[in-house]
Amino acid sequence: MEEKQLYAQARAAAEEIIEKAGLHPGQILVVGCSTSEILGDKIGSHSSPETAKIVFSGISDAAREKGIFLAAQCCEHLNRAIITERAACPGAELVNVVPAPKAGGSFATAAYAAFQDPVALEEIRADAGLDIGYTLIGMHLKKVAVPVRLENNRIGQAMVLAARVRPKFIGGVRAVYDQNLL
């Protein structure tokens, strides 16, 4: 697949979830990405640093323009740790790991190389997310996650699933809710 097309697909998916989730500057978008799936292979089988850089650039450019922090989920070999900018998580407990294509994944590796001040975390509670190629990002979303149907739901050969979060409903039949938070 052509680089320009991958970049455009990644950027479009990021722009769409940022808009549909109503993200504001300073909020966090978590992304899990299988470059193997993007290239039409089974997750974890053909990691591609080149593909990761292109896809990361598209997503990162869209997030940066809106003031959104990006959090890259590592693969299962690093227990789906998170790579993000230190500014996204002041005071968070850091872990010591540097992702690599076969231990963390190519997307997290690209994020680590591109971020100005990258840090690794065991977990994060993001405001929205993109799951590119069956990477299971749900563990890094705030409660309650709400699926978001994207028009831009493919990057290369990979399916793109998306979610946003909303505050928990509490109360009962007499409770009144703020419609702006739904």
Side-chain angles (χ1 to χ4, degrees):
M1 174 158 283
E2 187 178 314
E3 288 182 20
K4 288 180 183 179
Q5 186 177 9
L6 283 177
Y7 175 90
Q9 289 174 333
R11 184 175 178 118
E15 289 172 342
E16 188 175 357
I17 188 59
I18 289 167
E19 187 219 329
K20 286 185 172 180
L23 295 182
H24 303 291
Q27 289 188 298
I28 299 170
L29 173 67
V30 66
V31 177
C33 176
S34 168
T35 56
S36 299
E37 290 282 338
I38 289 171
L39 297 173
D41 294 312
K42 182 182 165 212
I43 190 170
S45 64
H46 290 93
S47 193
S48 171
E50 299 78 21
T51 300
K53 287 177 187 174
I54 296 163
V55 172
F56 176 83
S57 292
I59 295 169
S60 178
D61 288 351
R64 189 176 43 254
E65 285 179 11
K66 297 292 185 176
I68 306 301
F69 286 110
L70 185 56
Q73 178 180 274
C74 294
C75 73
E76 66 182 291
H77 297 98
L78 294 185
N79 298 324
R80 294 191 174 84
I82 291 292
I83 305 301
T84 192
E85 293 279 5
R86 185 180 307 271
C89 54
E93 185 175 349
L94 307 181
V95 295
N96 187 0
V97 70
V98 176
K102 293 289 186 179
S106 290
F107 187 81
T109 303
Y112 195 91
F115 287 151
Q116 289 183 336
D117 190 10
V119 295
L121 309 170
E122 279 191 284
E123 62 184 8
I124 201 164
R125 294 287 170 239
D127 303 288
L130 289 174
D131 182 322
I132 304 166
Y134 311 108
T135 57
L136 301 174
I137 61 164
M139 66 190 284
H140 294 300
L141 292 170
K142 292 176 183 172
K143 297 176 183 176
V144 169
V146 177
V148 175
R149 187 176 290 268
L150 298 179
E151 290 179 34
N152 299 290
N153 62 6
R154 287 217 175 259
I155 297 175
Q157 299 299 311
M159 287 290 300
V160 178
L161 302 176
R164 65 174 179 84
V165 299
R166 65 158 174 78
K168 295 177 186 180
F169 292 142
I170 62 169
V173 293
R174 292 180 284 177
V176 177
Y177 301 109
D178 182 342
Q179 297 299 307
N180 293 319
L181 296 176
L182 302 179

